[in-house]
Amino acid sequence: MTEQQMAFYVDLAACSGCKACQIACKDKNDLDVGIMWRRVVEYVGGDWTRSGDAWVSTVYAYSVTVSCLHCEDAPCATACPSSALVKRDDGVVLIDESRCIGCRYCEWSCPYGALQFDGDTGKMTKCDFCADYLDEGKDPACVASCPMRAMDYGPLDELRERYGDLAEVAPLPDPSISRPAVVFGPHPDSRAGASTSGRIGNLEEV
Amino acid sequence: MGLHDWSLIIFTILGQMSVGVFLILGVIHTVAIRRHAVEEVERLTDRALLAIGPVLVLGFIASLGHLGSPVNAYLSILNVADSWLSREILFGALFAVSGAVFALMQWRKVGPFALRRVVALVAAALGIAFIVSMALVYMLPLQPSWNLWATPVTFLVTSLLTGTLAIGVAFVASYAYERKRDGEDSAALAALLYDSLRGLVIAAVVLVGAQLVTIPLQVAILSGGETAAAVDSAARLTSDYGIMFALRLALAFIGAAIFGLFVYRSTLGQASQRVVGGLVGGAFGLVLVGEVLGRYLFYAANVPIGV
Ligand code: SF4
Ligand code: SF4
């Protein structure tokens, strides 16, 4: 029996961009400097425009926390020549580092920059949805750490019932490419994926 | 660009050149034996055929340089069912093996002519599959400047163009070797050499023409692309890397067309073999440098979609 696809939920309106999830992930997985399985991307845009004697602001900013989204189509797993990337029954995409040849081909196929190469071991690394915690019935470290309670996780169908089915948010690419297992709660200013009105504000951090 | 990318540049170009040499040698062999004695033709082609092996092996060795864990390289054909990278390696290996079998049979004249032909055709088909799968490795939805029909076209043109001129060099060298061994000029062999060189440079001019159409078209398609990444990729080619981009086109043109013209003329006149050899070598060198620059840009100018 195939279990249900596990997925993340992020309430973009509630997220304050504090990056606690990113740090909790690094801590739980003991990740080296430069390797980030979860990254908080700031999307910023807008301007001040003059209207009569007044200056009106259209400036906006919001944060999107992104990790491996355990895509239903997982193009990384299709690309990997040594089948080191595998999708578990519950949809979680795991890497078997003993099979990885370090060709980095999966990196070119992942829309979310989820694959993070470890130069020391010569292996690719990635978010495992805290599979060990899941198996123990505990929450993933990122979800548990969020002070705004902006994150949730669970079977994709359930999340969609509860929160809707928004998966297309700038600056993330078109979800039809990989069918990511994610649901976003919209931010008042969040734009659709193809939007070019803004830019990533913290490129050097992600 | 790190070692990682250079290893891919070397691997893709040497792999493509190997296939190109193999394919074009087959064409030359087929055409030339209609007008020249088979033994004479093979005095030139057999040695060129044997040179493919080391070039291809060098390419595969270079490809290991982009692996983080090269000791695991043998695992890379496990996902033939899904991964174009696995298929590329599989077809590359099969081309190498079948090509080596053919080269051995041809060198030792093992088996009847017809059988050798069949083996050569199989190897040629595998070589083409190698190049096509190599192109499909790069045709990924998130890589706008790779995900174009221009990728297989340029890979094929690179293959045939570098192959054509490499054969020219190999023929000149084979001829010089044969002449030294015989201690005298062979009029028949010289005629064959010059005939082949003329055919080769005509092919090179046509191929460079194809390239000079494909590349600007590719840039035009990219700059009209829907995603910001596509537009950025085009802009990087023409502005950030503008000088290298122009140089790459110029070298291909000068190498294949201008040097080619001189080769053509000198084989008609009474130019010495030294002059002809120098011109052929120059054409090959310029085109090869142009191709290396082109492949460098292929990797360096691409801007991926995504975060
Ligand atoms: S987010 Fe990237 S690494 Fe994760 S499943 Fe999708 S393609 Fe693979
Ligand atoms: S880097 Fe490793 S996981 Fe990624 S495609 Fe290559 S072998 Fe597979």
Side-chain angles (χ1 to χ4, degrees):
Chain A
M1 189 195 83
T2 312
E3 296 173 53
Q4 281 177 305
Q5 165 79 49
M6 290 302 283
F8 285 115
Y9 168 72
V10 183
D11 181 350
L12 298 176
C15 171
S16 67
C18 73
K19 304 179 177 64
C21 50
Q22 183 177 315
I23 301 304
C25 175
K26 282 195 78 110
D27 182 43
K28 146 86 169 57
N29 297 297
D30 205 6
L31 303 180
D32 248 338
V33 174
I35 297 179
M36 293 191 289
W37 291 354
R38 180 169 282 289
R39 298 161 306 144
V40 178
V41 182
E42 296 167 8
Y43 195 67
V44 301
D47 207 349
W48 290 86
T49 43
R50 192 181 180 132
S51 128
D53 283 340
W55 286 88
V56 182
S57 168
T58 56
V59 173
Y60 66 89
Y62 60 91
S63 299
V64 183
T65 174
V66 58
S67 66
C68 171
L69 297 178
H70 302 275
C71 307
E72 292 190 85
D73 289 344
C76 55
T78 308
C80 175
S82 57
S83 299
L85 289 156
V86 283
K87 212 166 158 56
R88 290 208 308 194
D89 276 352
D90 61 355
V92 171
V93 175
L94 294 177
I95 181 163
D96 175 354
E97 286 188 24
S98 69
R99 286 167 80 117
C100 173
I101 65 173
C103 64
R104 306 181 72 161
Y105 189 40
C106 49
E107 248 181 324
W108 291 346
S109 314
C110 172
Y112 305 104
L115 293 146
Q116 302 260 317
F117 189 66
D118 183 339
D120 292 337
T121 59
K123 308 278 187 187
M124 198 54 81
T125 70
K126 70 182 285 301
C127 153
D128 61 358
F129 217 120
C130 290
D132 50 345
Y133 282 5
L134 288 188
D135 296 345
E136 291 168 28
K138 292 204 289 188
D139 292 349
C142 49
V143 174
S145 75
C146 177
M148 307 301 288
R149 289 287 168 259
M151 292 185 72
D152 195 359
Y153 75 102
L156 183 57
D157 292 340
E158 280 177 27
L159 293 183
R160 283 192 176 142
E161 250 167 56
R162 214 173 313 151
Y163 302 112
D165 61 359
L166 179 67
E168 190 181 354
V169 171
L172 306 185
D174 185 346
S176 72
I177 296 172
S178 63
R179 300 204 298 138
V182 71
V183 174
F184 290 111
H187 184 277
D189 285 320
S190 56
R191 309 289 204 258
S195 157
T196 50
S197 76
R199 60 183 175 80
I200 295 175
N202 60 337
L203 258 187
E204 67 286 351
E205 286 177 4
V206 297
Chain B
M1 295 265 285
L3 191 69
H4 180 253
D5 303 276
W6 277 107
S7 90
L8 287 180
I9 294 170
I10 296 169
F11 165 66
T12 54
I13 291 189
L14 293 186
Q16 287 162 15
M17 182 156 74
S18 305
V19 175
V21 170
F22 192 88
L23 296 178
I24 291 172
L25 269 181
V27 174
I28 294 177
H29 192 273
T30 310
V31 174
I33 56 174
R34 296 214 187 120
R35 284 202 277 151
H36 302 265
V38 179
E39 298 74 39
E40 290 292 308
V41 173
E42 293 181 351
R43 277 171 83 186
L44 289 185
T45 54
D46 278 4
R47 223 168 274 117
L49 182 65
L50 289 181
I52 299 175
V55 172
L56 188 57
V57 168
L58 215 69
F60 276 119
I61 293 174
S63 79
L64 294 178
H66 94 284
L67 301 184
S69 303
V71 285
N72 274 355
Y74 68 96
L75 296 171
S76 63
I77 53 167
L78 286 181
N79 198 11
V80 172
D82 289 324
S83 169
W84 280 107
L85 187 53
S86 286
R87 293 172 194 161
E88 175 196 21
I89 295 154
L90 182 70
F91 282 126
L94 291 176
F95 167 65
V97 171
S98 55
V101 169
F102 171 69
L104 237 119
M105 290 173 77
Q106 177 66 21
W107 183 248
R108 296 277 168 212
K109 302 289 177 281
V110 182
F113 186 78
L115 176 66
R116 276 184 265 146
R117 279 260 125 143
V118 172
V119 177
L121 279 176
V122 169
L126 290 167
I128 293 171
F130 177 36
I131 301 217
V132 170
S133 49
M134 199 187 279
L136 284 162
V137 160
Y138 293 95
M139 296 182 74
L140 301 164
L142 297 164
Q143 313 296 339
S145 73
W146 300 345
N147 195 19
L148 300 169
W149 55 266
T151 301
V153 171
T154 43
F155 279 15
L156 213 60
V157 170
T158 299
S159 165
L160 298 176
L161 183 60
T162 54
T164 300
L165 294 170
I167 291 174
V169 173
F171 278 11
V172 169
S174 278
Y175 179 82
Y177 177 83
E178 293 285 330
R179 193 171 59 150
K180 214 165 148 196
R181 205 172 56 176
D182 298 352
E184 56 174 1
D185 272 325
S186 149
L189 200 58
L192 173 64
L193 173 69
Y194 282 8
D195 271 2
S196 324
L197 288 180
R198 279 197 293 279
L200 287 170
V201 294
I202 290 172
V205 169
V206 172
L207 289 164
V208 149
Q211 199 173 49
L212 293 179
V213 173
T214 308
I215 294 171
L217 262 178
Q218 177 192 12
V219 175
I221 292 172
L222 269 182
S223 40
E226 281 169 26
T227 59
V231 179
D232 286 350
S233 301
R236 284 181 78 156
L237 263 185
T238 50
S239 59
D240 298 16
Y241 291 104
I243 295 176
M244 198 187 275
F245 183 60
L247 191 65
R248 176 252 187 295
L249 294 176
L251 285 174
F253 181 75
I254 297 170
I258 303 197
F259 271 61
L261 183 74
F262 283 118
V263 171
Y264 194 90
R265 284 189 48 186
S266 60
T267 56
L268 289 175
Q270 294 306 310
S272 76
Q273 268 106 40
R274 276 191 94 99
V275 173
V276 176
L279 287 170
V280 173
F284 176 62
L286 290 173
V287 164
L288 191 62
V289 174
E291 288 301 325
V292 170
L293 291 181
R295 196 53 49 82
Y296 180 95
L297 293 172
F298 178 81
Y299 293 107
N302 180 61
V303 179
I305 298 168
V307 291

